[in-house]
Amino acid sequence: LNINEWLVGITDSNGIFNIYINNNKIIFTYKISLIINNIQLLYKIKNYLKIGSINYTNNIVIYLINNNNDLLNIILPIFDKYKLLTSKRFNYLLFKKCLLINNNNNFNQLLKINLINNIINNNNNNNYNNNYISDSWYNIYKNYKNININNIKIINNILENNLLIINKIITKSWLIGYIETKSSFKLIKKDNKIIHYFNINIIKLDYIVIYSIKLLLNINININNYKLELFDNKSIEYIINYLKFNNHKSRLLGIKSYEYLIWKRSYYKYKNNNKKLLIIKILLDKNI
């Protein structure tokens, strides 16, 4: 597992780069917000990076980095080397541009504020970020101009013809990071049976990512409301094999590792045993 790629995957799912201007002070923050039962995941990230703080707000726990030197010297190098795959890449590049302006000693504070305000306002007033594809996908889209990301049929066709490149763009480490917070390992009731269920979801802007995941995981089920939902045994087993490493352990590091372990074991041990699966369903539902 490449921890930096894994971190980028988590950021694509639940991270955010923000810029605030308050009383002539420019504040830059990078944060990941999760529900409190996944707090161990944030402490693992903090222990790995050795920077930042953990804060609580009701049932939400937040990993926060707001030290400019840490952002410049530790965070930017990671996200420059391992690019965000979703439209969050747009926000990151804006964040980086403003952070570098703020770090320029040739500019006084008023000039920095004006330059950064202009960048933020210009980007808020145009639609570029509403039709944005991360440059991570450049090798697929370099031969196509003015692609409308809302034209699903064209997007599907382009991606289906570039599966080898997709395998290089979406690494296992990135996808495991994304799955940590944007997926569910569940047991659900369907047609009076308890069956195994897995889903991954994404926002509308990032359809390219969810369809690429569908191709990567060899999933035949259609995407519904920007969500992949798997019920059939073949797809469930493919997910299990994909997440399995040589020692038969997954590399999920947060609460999903617990959910996945119970989900996987119950699939092999109690599949088609409604009585046993109902008990396990109740257990999983309490922890999701």
Side-chain angles (χ1 to χ4, degrees), residues 136-152:
S136 302
W137 302 92
Y138 175 74
N139 284 339
I140 289 179
Y141 287 97
K142 62 185 177 183
N143 296 323
Y144 303 87
K145 293 182 180 179
N146 301 320
I147 296 173
N148 182 349
I149 63 172
N150 295 312
N151 193 324
I152 290 176

Side-chain angles (χ1 to χ4, degrees), residues 220-280:
N220 292 323
I221 295 171
N222 291 330
I223 294 168
N224 183 26
N225 292 325
Y226 303 94
K227 180 187 288 188
L228 277 175
E229 297 181 292
L230 310 184
F231 309 93
D232 63 291
N233 291 342
K234 181 180 177 182
S235 296
I236 296 297
E237 289 171 12
Y238 195 97
I239 294 296
I240 291 172
N241 288 328
Y242 183 86
L243 292 175
K244 190 175 6 179
F245 281 68
N246 290 337
N247 58 2
H248 297 283
K249 293 181 180 179
S250 80
R251 287 297 182 268
L252 294 160
L253 301 180
I255 191 67
K256 283 290 179 289
S257 64
Y258 168 76
E259 293 172 12
Y260 171 74
L261 181 62
I262 294 174
W263 180 84
K264 181 186 75 170
R265 286 183 176 177
S266 66
Y267 177 80
Y268 285 123
K269 194 168 183 179
Y270 298 120
K271 183 173 57 176
N272 299 322
N273 185 332
N274 262 22
K275 187 175 180 180
K276 288 284 187 181
L277 291 179
L278 181 59
I279 295 170
I280 296 167

Side-chain angles (χ1 to χ4, degrees), residues 43-56:
Y43 274 107
K44 286 177 180 178
I45 294 171
K46 184 177 183 293
N47 290 338
Y48 170 67
L49 294 175
K50 297 182 172 32
I51 54 174
S53 61
I54 305 287
N55 305 291
Y56 303 83

